[in-house]
């Protein structure tokens, strides 16, 4: 087990209005309790019953769920993909995140071929150098493994970039199995781990060639070229490599039963394996690729959407604690950008928006419909990402001294998901017309009220956060 060595977060030191939230249902990864919570000087100052403070603005939140601000540990803002750039940059993307109850994102700095890790990090700092409305950090994606890159791992950790990303697909990004082994072993020795995109690149390429040769070029060819077996095979291979390296590892955006079973089997064999899934794999299915008039293109992402049965399996795994986090893989494109692949499915920019809708979806359709408990929602949205990514206990928990990042959910609030009025910078919503019950009402970032009645009212307060090393605890079997 590795304990967090430290999280370095600068406070601005300004005098601020205190806020006293009265009679809220405070949620942790263990359960709920009714209490008051005082926010002062950017942190949670006090938690208790019948609190009073004449200098504080008092808000009655009776019957509302008070969550630690949500953390989305998998986003892609301003990313160059398929000859275009994601519709959301850090300015619009962090605003959309905050509107949906997410007070911190972790994006992916990328070292492209020929670059050092430091160059990759500097590029992403420059991209995120404008207005940010929620806090942010980066994982570092490694696309080329050399002795000099290995030597930079310690520098990244010193800079607060304490987790990494590897790819088993995409020619510009992927490492071979031997390199993955060396990276995982190096990271384990440094006290950290990598998240890995698991798909069998060579077989996917063969299936793409086969489908193209047969004239199958529509969005429906996308899932046909990237079947669940190709994800499961890569997950199995990753788990074997991690086991040999005796290193922890995360399988990101897990989509299906076969891949999940490989993770479960690896854990039983002693591999310290973590699993992430995304809302699109819990709520959407591959039948959407069959929609007429190229509408299926808006759902193209990698790995693709799977079956309704896979959704059921993933929900059960979330409830059981087998899946550790639910992030979004937010990678947004407009419908015009999706049109780039009208005559060739491989040219459709892959990715879905999700950073604004995740918390509302998980609460309404997860907690509200009895699939998971309020505490489980806290674990997958706040606490587990904070622990895994070196932010706990400054973030991810309602505790005295923690950052006053607060998401208030009204369980009776109704919300219709639609492209109209969303903060996300795209012209469609993957969940268009979905009616939710239970939605984000207020969001505080370090004690500042930024969302009121579900509307974003304040922007630009986000900061880069230096993260500490991870805590690798599993807590399966919790309700």
């Amino acid at each position: 087990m590795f304990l967090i060595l430290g999280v370095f977060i600068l406070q601005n030191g300004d005098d601020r209005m205190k806020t006293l939230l009265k009679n809220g249902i405070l949620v942790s990864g263990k359960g709920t309790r009714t209490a008051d919570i005082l926010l002062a000087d950017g942190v949670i100052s006090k938690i208790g019953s019948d609190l009073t403070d004449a200098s504080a603005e008092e808000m009655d939140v009776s019957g509302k769920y008070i969550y630690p601000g949500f953390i989305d540990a998998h986003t892609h803002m301003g990313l160059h993909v398929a000859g275009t750039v994601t519709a959301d940059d850090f300015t619009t993307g962090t605003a959309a995140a905050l509107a949906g109850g997410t007070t911190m994102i972790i994006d992916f700095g990328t070292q492209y071929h020929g670059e050092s890790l430091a160059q990759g990090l500097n590029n992403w700092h420059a991209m995120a150098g404008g207005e940010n409305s929620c806090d942010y950090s980066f994982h570092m994606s490694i696309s080329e493994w050399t002795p000099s890159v290995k030597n930079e791992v310690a520098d990244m950790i010193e800079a607060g970039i304490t987790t990494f990303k590897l790819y088993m697909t995409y020619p510009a990004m992927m490492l071979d199995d031997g390199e993955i082994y060396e990276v995982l072993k190096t990271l384990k020795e440094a006290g950290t781990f990598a998240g890995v995109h698991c798909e069998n690149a060579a077989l996917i390429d063969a299936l793409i060639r086969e489908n193209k040769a047969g004239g199958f070029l529509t969005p429906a060819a996308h899932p046909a070229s990237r079947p669940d077996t190709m994800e499961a095979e890569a997950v199995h291979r990753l788990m074997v490599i991690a086991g040999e390296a005796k290193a922890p590892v995360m399988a990101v955006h897990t989509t299906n039963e076969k891949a999940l079973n490989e993770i479960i089997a690896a854990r039983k064999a002693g591999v310290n394996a973590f699993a992430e899934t995304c809302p699109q794999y819990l709520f959407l299915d591959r039948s959407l690729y069959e929609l007429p008039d190229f509408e299926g293109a808006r759902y193209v992402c990698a790995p693709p959407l799977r079956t309704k049965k896979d959704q059921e399996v993933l929900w059960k795994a979330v409830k059981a604690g087998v899946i550790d986090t639910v992030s979004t893989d937010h990678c947004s494109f407009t419908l015009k950008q999706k049109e780039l692949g009208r005559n060739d499915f491989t040219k459709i920019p892959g990715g879905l928006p999700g950073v604004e809708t995740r918390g509302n979806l998980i609460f309404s359709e997860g907690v509200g419909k009895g699939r998971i408990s309020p505490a489980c929602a806290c674990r997958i949205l706040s606490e587990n990402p904070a622990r895994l990514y070196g932010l706990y206990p400054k973030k991810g928990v309602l505790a005295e001294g923690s950052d006053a990042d607060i998401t208030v959910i009204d369980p009776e609030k109704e919300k219709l998901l639609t492209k109209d009025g969303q903060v996300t910078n795209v012209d469609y919503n993957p969940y268009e017309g979905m009616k939710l019950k239970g939605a984000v009402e207020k969001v505080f970032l370090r004690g500042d009220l930024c969302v009121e009645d579900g509307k974003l009212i304040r922007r630009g307060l986000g900061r880069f956060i230096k993260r500490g090393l991870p805590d690798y605890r599993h807590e399966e079997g919790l309700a």
Side-chain angles (χ1 to χ4, degrees), residues 81-157:
V81 177
T84 189
V85 183
T86 53
D88 279 304
D89 58 14
F90 280 86
T91 297
T92 63
T94 58
L98 193 64
T102 291
T103 53
M104 179 158 182
I105 64 168
I106 309 179
D107 209 83
F108 294 89
T110 300
Q111 167 238 20
Y112 292 114
H113 283 212
E115 292 182 341
S116 65
L117 299 185
Q119 287 173 309
L121 178 57
N122 288 340
N123 290 340
W124 254 258
H125 272 306
M127 287 170 54
E131 178 186 88
N132 291 279
S133 293
C134 72
D135 288 346
Y136 67 97
S137 182
F138 310 112
H139 310 281
M140 177 51 61
S141 297
I142 299 174
S143 68
E144 194 171 34
W145 185 244
T146 66
S148 62
V149 170
K150 178 178 180 178
N151 290 336
E152 283 192 278
V153 167
D155 296 335
M156 290 295 104
I157 293 173

Side-chain angles (χ1 to χ4, degrees), residues 294-295 297-298 333-340 419 426-428:
F294 201 61
E295 286 191 23
R298 63 188 65 188
F333 298 97
T334 65
L335 295 179
K336 183 177 180 180
Q337 288 176 298
K338 292 284 188 177
E339 283 284 337
L340 293 169
K419 64 182 176 61
V426 290
D427 51 358
Y428 77 100

Side-chain angles (χ1 to χ4, degrees), residues 289-309:
Y289 296 121
E290 305 284 350
L291 290 172
D293 300 324
F294 201 61
E295 286 191 23
R298 63 188 65 188
Y299 301 102
V300 167
C301 57
L305 306 178
R306 304 299 187 187
T307 67
K308 290 186 182 296
K309 181 187 176 185

Side-chain angles (χ1 to χ4, degrees), residues 199-363:
E199 290 184 286
N200 185 309
L203 283 174
I204 286 171
D205 287 345
L207 289 170
I208 288 173
R209 290 192 296 270
E210 187 176 290
N211 282 308
K212 283 188 170 185
F216 191 16
L217 301 174
T218 69
H222 176 68
S225 300
R226 307 180 91 100
D228 57 0
T229 51
M230 295 303 95
E231 180 183 348
E233 185 280 332
V235 171
H236 172 80
R237 189 158 28 102
L238 175 66
M239 295 302 149
V240 171
I241 295 168
E244 190 64 30
K246 298 180 175 56
V249 72
M250 163 77 81
V252 300
H253 47 48
T254 305
T255 73
N256 68 85
E257 182 177 16
K258 293 184 180 73
L260 187 67
N261 284 341
E262 295 292 348
I263 296 167
I264 293 169
R267 287 182 182 174
K268 290 179 179 177
V271 178
N272 197 2
F274 294 87
E276 168 198 86
T277 195
C278 307
Q280 55 266 37
Y281 304 121
L282 295 170
F283 297 105
L284 306 175
D285 70 84
R286 63 177 292 164
S287 67
L288 293 166
Y289 296 121
E290 305 284 350
L291 290 172
D293 300 324
F294 201 61
E295 286 191 23
R298 63 188 65 188
Y299 301 102
V300 167
C301 57
L305 306 178
R306 304 299 187 187
T307 67
K308 290 186 182 296
K309 181 187 176 185
D310 287 315
Q311 291 178 12
E312 295 171 4
V313 170
L314 292 176
W315 271 115
K316 290 177 181 176
V318 169
K319 181 177 182 178
V322 175
I323 289 176
D324 300 282
T325 67
V326 176
S327 302
T328 63
D329 198 6
H330 179 92
C331 193
S332 62
F333 298 97
T334 65
L335 295 179
K336 183 177 180 180
Q337 288 176 298
K338 292 284 188 177
E339 283 284 337
L340 293 169
R342 177 169 281 277
N343 299 313
D344 181 351
F345 70 95
T346 64
K347 295 181 180 179
I348 301 170
L352 276 72
V355 76
E356 187 173 350
T357 51
R358 177 185 62 140
N360 289 323
L361 282 166
I362 293 298
F363 188 87

